[in-house]
Amino acid sequence: MKKRLLGLLAIAVVVSMMLASCSQNNKPAGSATTAPDSQSEETGSTAPVEITMFAVQESGIDLTTNKFTKFVEEKFNMKFKFDTTPPDGAKEKRQISLASGDYPDAYMLPGYIDQFSQADVLKYGKQGVIVPLNDLIEQYAPNIKAAMEKDADLKAFNTAPDGNIYGLVAYSQCFHCSYPNKMWINTKWLDKLQLEMPKTPEEFKAVLKAFKTQDPNGNGVADEVPLSGSIEDFGVRVIPFLMNGFVYDDDRNYLNMTGGKVESAAVKPEWKEGLSYIKSLYDEGLIDPGAFAQNAEAFKKIGENGDSQILGAGAGMHPAIFINIDAGNKNSADYNPVPPLTGPHGSYATHDGGGVAPGAKFVITNKASEEQKIALIKLVDYMFTQEGQTNGASGMEGIDWRKPKDGEVALGEGVIPQIATIPAAEGEAPRNAGWSGTAHFYMPKEYRDSFVQGTDIYDSASYERRLYQATLLYQGHEPKELFPLWSIWVDQNEVDEVSILQTNIKSYIEQNALQFITGNKSLEKDWDAYVKGLKDLKIDRYLEILQKAYDASFK
């Protein structure tokens, strides 16, 4: 299931691959179609450097026979032995490999599947299992060095409190990813029922009620599902969009910030008020009960319900999660974004600061020799160039991408287009020419914005423009103060403690939210006991640790 969902995300990523931006003083690497004349120029060695690397094998990719693999093996005089795993179970396999002591020279993992968490980075860095990259970057990685000098937040993501760089994040300033909790409504049904786009929670409720009772699909059967979602990531949970008219819901840890102080949203009166509103939707049958239990595969079965369209509104970062967007689709153009609802206490949109997950997607272990470390850092440094990032993530030039043609336009307004994808022909076998998310290293906004995109937003080839335009409706609706959990480093002596607290508190908040919404608990009778339960789980201590980490990082 994760493969299918991640494959959908890959559509958005692939159609948005653009040239990685480097410092003007750093020239891109050589041609994408020719290797260096002398292998020894890259590594100082004539025998290939053999390297074992743990990596995720995504759908349609065979890393061993991959064209990008063959290209970099020749370019950097290296030979890979991959320890691969499918996306499902990747985290468990990685942890087992580390625990066994029989681990590879390096790990390279898609950030959206299973990268090292910050806690992992500190733990294994302190143990010496993963090695600092500082000196390697200084001596052999001018593009990585330039990128961190250019983007201070990239350096902050990569630099642990002790000053060491134990690994590198997947740095993608994905605009549409940074506002994940969108709502997509069936505008064909709105038009048929002569309804306006809802602007407030109560207007949204009225629309959902009309979807349920007025047979908008015209089949004479009360089979419409007014609102659905699922329980995974990528903005598919229904609560945040609905809650954001009452109090800011970050859809991760339920943290707010006021006057430089971190606080929990989930104990505020506005949270209780938001739960009451969502409960009213549930009580009237306007929310699919499956939204609180189903995976994205089940969600998509509702969005693609054979001949009879039944979904009124769906939560998701992008609509391809719950409908088909491929050429010949029937329903894609019917689903369009609902702007953030203006509730009694605000009109917020969940924002994560840019879509970069903290931790490390690439680390080198203490199993690697000096020669292997140098080869690895040079490989990654290549993927910090425009050519290397595009060849690695999108596929090789001439196979998966080409130079732009006259008249083609870039995603970003006023941006000069740099690269265009070569669409796959119907029925074409996987090209196996790139590493997809495994190669996502440095994709700043200017890189993504320079990718060629068509102007028809309902054409699957122009999907990124559709998401870009939708996200403009959400931009600026984040609170003036955001608690930047994604970019702070907790003291390594408190990492284990805060990790346990975070897991327990998050689970408790989510379980109780569901119980309040479904009526298994009463908001009037059980609210005080719920708040006391959070106190018993040491939420005050949790906030204290986070405040300390914030103060150390930003003051």
Side-chain angles (χ1 to χ4, degrees):
M1 176 51 258
K2 287 184 180 177
K3 290 187 207 174
R4 180 172 299 184
L5 181 56
L6 293 167
L8 294 173
L9 269 184
I11 294 172
V13 173
V14 168
V15 298
S16 67
M17 283 297 104
M18 352 60 210
L19 295 180
S21 191
C22 300
S23 165
Q24 291 182 352
N25 295 325
N26 289 287
K27 296 181 181 180
S31 169
T33 55
T34 58
D37 293 334
S38 170
Q39 293 175 337
S40 62
E41 290 179 6
E42 295 289 347
T43 63
S45 171
T46 54
V49 180
E50 295 185 359
I51 292 172
T52 59
M53 188 159 74
F54 183 102
V56 171
Q57 189 103 284
E58 297 193 67
S59 178
I61 295 175
D62 182 334
L63 288 170
T64 300
T65 62
N66 187 269
K67 296 178 181 66
F68 181 68
T69 300
K70 297 301 182 186
F71 170 71
V72 295
E73 283 182 334
E74 184 175 359
K75 180 176 180 62
F76 295 103
N77 193 28
M78 60 203 311
K79 181 66 178 176
F80 283 112
K81 179 181 178 182
F82 290 103
D83 180 4
T84 61
T85 178
D88 289 335
K91 182 175 184 178
E92 291 76 10
K93 185 173 179 180
R94 172 174 67 82
Q95 290 174 333
I96 290 170
S97 74
L98 286 162
S100 71
D102 184 20
Y103 46 82
D105 302 315
Y107 290 81
M108 192 178 289
L109 304 159
Y112 53 81
I113 294 179
D114 175 43
Q115 67 174 12
F116 286 71
S117 67
Q118 279 189 336
D120 289 335
V121 169
L122 292 174
K123 172 185 175 181
Y124 294 115
K126 185 177 181 180
Q127 292 176 356
V129 172
I130 59 177
V131 300
L133 306 178
N134 305 54
D135 292 343
L136 289 167
I137 292 171
E138 181 67 29
Q139 296 181 55
Y140 303 106
N143 296 298
I144 298 175
K145 182 179 177 182
M148 288 197 292
E149 289 174 350
K150 176 180 176 293
D151 295 307
D153 55 342
L154 172 61
K155 185 174 183 179
F157 273 113
N158 288 329
T159 308
D162 63 5
N164 282 320
I165 299 172
Y166 292 109
L168 299 172
V169 297
Y171 188 75
S172 174
Q173 292 181 313
C174 171
F175 180 52
H176 81 83
C177 308
S178 67
Y179 292 87
N181 295 92
K182 301 180 183 71
M183 184 64 66
W184 304 85
I185 199 165
N186 192 325
T187 49
K188 183 174 73 173
W189 287 7
L190 286 180
D191 293 341
K192 182 175 181 179
L193 300 179
Q194 297 183 330
L195 298 169
E196 298 292 329
M197 179 68 73
K199 298 181 176 63
T200 68
E202 289 307 314
E203 288 179 5
F204 188 63
K205 181 178 181 178
V207 166
L208 296 181
K209 189 178 295 186
F211 286 172
K212 178 179 175 64
T213 61
Q214 297 182 28
D215 192 28
N217 65 11
N219 67 354
V221 180
D223 57 354
E224 287 82 0
V225 178
L227 169 62
S228 193
S230 76
I231 59 172
E232 294 157 322
D233 291 325
F234 315 119
V236 291
R237 291 181 281 273
V238 297
I239 292 176
F241 177 85
L242 301 172
M243 184 64 76
N244 272 326
F246 298 86
V247 64
Y248 179 64
D249 183 350
D250 65 10
D251 192 29
R252 289 178 301 277
N253 294 283
Y254 313 104
L255 299 171
N256 286 183
M257 196 161 200
T258 303
K261 300 299 181 183
V262 62
E263 54 194 17
S264 173
V267 297
K268 293 185 174 184
E270 295 87 351
W271 184 267
K272 180 181 178 182
E273 192 176 345
L275 289 176
S276 180
Y277 165 72
I278 300 169
K279 182 181 187 304
S280 75
L281 301 183
Y282 185 85
D283 288 346
E284 295 189 38
L286 305 180
I287 299 179
D288 170 24
F292 300 110
Q294 69 195 4
N295 60 22
E297 185 174 16
F299 184 19
K300 191 161 189 176
K301 286 181 179 178
I302 299 172
E304 289 290 334
N305 184 60
D307 295 331
S308 181
Q309 190 178 30
I310 63 173
L311 182 64
M317 181 188 292
H318 57 92
I321 294 170
F322 59 86
I323 54 168
N324 292 330
I325 66 163
D326 300 336
N329 69 79
K330 296 184 296 182
N331 301 323
S332 176
D334 295 340
Y335 292 92
N336 291 286
V338 183
L341 301 175
T342 301
H345 306 294
S347 179
Y348 296 119
T350 302
H351 183 52
D352 66 4
V356 184
K361 69 159 295 170
F362 169 74
V363 299
I364 298 176
T365 76
N366 58 5
K367 302 281 188 179
S369 67
E370 189 65 18
E371 189 178 32
Q372 289 169 326
K373 293 174 188 176
I374 293 170
L376 282 163
I377 204 66
K378 285 185 174 182
L379 166 67
V380 173
D381 188 63
Y382 173 60
M383 286 185 276
F384 271 72
T385 70
Q386 56 183 21
E387 175 198 280
Q389 178 57 209
T390 311
N391 280 342
S394 294
M396 296 298 292
E397 183 178 7
I399 298 174
D400 286 297
W401 65 276
R402 58 172 174 78
K403 299 294 192 298
K405 299 175 182 177
D406 290 342
E408 292 184 320
V409 294
L411 173 66
E413 185 176 351
V415 175
I416 297 173
Q418 299 292 328
I419 195 166
T421 53
I422 301 174
E426 186 174 353
E428 180 183 348
R431 293 167 175 171
N432 196 32
W435 287 359
S436 187
T438 298
H440 289 173
F441 274 99
Y442 186 57
M443 300 184 290
K445 185 178 186 299
E446 57 267 31
Y447 174 91
R448 299 183 66 98
D449 282 358
S450 68
F451 211 69
V452 166
Q453 282 282 285
T455 55
D456 179 0
I457 64 171
Y458 299 110
D459 180 348
S460 59
S462 305
Y463 189 55
E464 182 81 1
R465 188 177 300 281
R466 180 179 180 181
L467 303 184
Y468 194 100
Q469 290 184 4
T471 307
L472 291 173
L473 300 174
Y474 292 75
Q475 185 180 35
H477 283 263
E478 64 272 20
K480 292 181 180 179
E481 288 185 277
L482 284 171
F483 183 71
L485 186 63
W486 55 85
S487 61
I488 66 168
W489 289 83
V490 173
D491 187 300
Q492 66 182 36
N493 295 318
E494 297 172 328
V495 165
D496 290 341
E497 181 185 4
V498 81
S499 179
I500 293 170
L501 291 173
Q502 182 181 62
T503 298
N504 292 340
I505 290 168
K506 182 175 185 289
S507 176
Y508 180 83
I509 290 170
E510 292 173 353
Q511 289 173 9
N512 278 270
L514 181 57
Q515 289 177 314
F516 284 132
I517 290 167
T518 58
N520 289 327
K521 283 188 177 181
S522 167
L523 280 165
E524 299 309 316
K525 297 178 180 178
D526 299 319
W527 178 259
D528 289 344
Y530 156 73
V531 173
K532 182 179 183 302
L534 279 172
K535 295 284 187 181
D536 292 343
L537 288 173
K538 300 182 179 179
I539 192 170
D540 291 338
R541 171 59 178 160
Y542 174 57
L543 297 176
E544 177 188 350
I545 295 172
L546 295 182
Q547 186 70 50
K548 176 182 173 183
Y550 174 81
D551 292 343
S553 299
F554 294 97
K555 292 185 177 181

